[in-house]
Amino acid sequence: MQLILIGATGLVGRAVLRLALADARVTGVVAPSRRALPAQPKLQAPVVDFDRLPADAPWWQADAVICTLGTTMKVAGTRQVFRRVDHDYPLAAARLALAAGARAYVLNSAAGANASSRIFYNRVKGELERDLEQLGFASLTHVRPGLIGGEREVARAGEGAALRILRVLGPMLPPRWRINPAPRIASALLEAAIAAAPGVHVVASDRLL
């Protein structure tokens, strides 16, 4: 299969890329990014401006899309920029891939995703899920991790302390509150893309341990 990976430079995206390039079922990966990626077999990594995605690029022709793109309020600076990165960019990529024939879209969302949430982060994630469902992919999967375990290129404020606490308390906590390792999330994303089960599906955090 031919796979598009949006967000290949993040913690989960890097893990997806490693798995996909090593998987014999995946014939090629296109990973559009804002910066150049190291050359690897099976990888095409066009440098793009997500505000001006090239609608006529031939690499939109793929079997499935995995999206792990996301930012934080600290990096984004404003709610407007955060929404653009976490909602508008993934949705724009989905529309272009669907128009080019993609059957499956798999989103790395969040455990609290809810379009009606009073929490801005959760509301944006929920609105993206809702808007993706309206596009009409043959297969759509929302993977909803909780706190993600792994080494980020840029540390997120407060996340390190939370991870340390949860590592200690993990065995005593309900499954849905435990740390979700990035490789486990990546595996769930890739398997959902390859399986492309018809309909809309949700993979909850307790399945990502």
Side-chain angles (χ1 to χ4, degrees), residues 77-93:
T78 67
R79 288 190 170 193
Q80 180 182 8
V81 174
F82 179 89
R83 181 179 173 81
R84 185 188 309 153
V85 175
D86 276 56
H87 175 276
D88 298 352
Y89 292 168
L91 189 61

Side-chain angles (χ1 to χ4, degrees), residues 159-192:
E159 193 174 79
L163 285 168
R164 288 191 292 273
I165 293 170
L166 288 180
R167 286 190 185 104
V168 174
L169 299 178
M172 298 176 284
L173 294 173
R176 68 180 183 277
W177 292 354
R178 297 177 191 174
I179 295 171
N180 296 146
R184 181 68 188 90
I185 301 167
S187 178
L189 291 162
L190 182 59
E191 291 304 321

Side-chain angles (χ1 to χ4, degrees), residues 12 107-113 121-122 129 142-149 176 178-182 184-185 189 203-206 208:
V12 175
L107 174 68
N108 187 46
S109 186
Y121 177 89
N122 292 343
E129 290 189 3
H142 306 309
V143 177
R144 295 177 178 170
L147 193 59
I148 300 172
R176 68 180 183 277
R178 297 177 191 174
I179 295 171
N180 296 146
R184 181 68 188 90
I185 301 167
L189 291 162
V203 179
S205 61
D206 58 2
L208 301 170

Side-chain angles (χ1 to χ4, degrees), residues 21 36-45:
L21 293 177
L37 299 178
Q40 299 186 63
K42 297 201 303 186
L43 175 63
Q44 181 182 354

Side-chain angles (χ1 to χ4, degrees), residues 37-117:
L37 299 178
Q40 299 186 63
K42 297 201 303 186
L43 175 63
Q44 181 182 354
V47 175
V48 301
D49 178 350
F50 279 94
D51 285 311
R52 300 173 181 82
L53 288 171
D56 58 349
W59 43 258
W60 287 115
Q61 298 176 15
D63 300 293
V65 181
I66 295 176
C67 181
T68 62
L69 189 64
T71 187
T72 64
M73 280 300 300
K74 181 179 180 180
V75 173
T78 67
R79 288 190 170 193
Q80 180 182 8
V81 174
F82 179 89
R83 181 179 173 81
R84 185 188 309 153
V85 175
D86 276 56
H87 175 276
D88 298 352
Y89 292 168
L91 189 61
R95 287 178 172 138
L96 291 171
L98 181 63
R103 294 187 63 258
Y105 192 99
V106 185
L107 174 68
N108 187 46
S109 186
N114 184 338
S116 300
S117 176

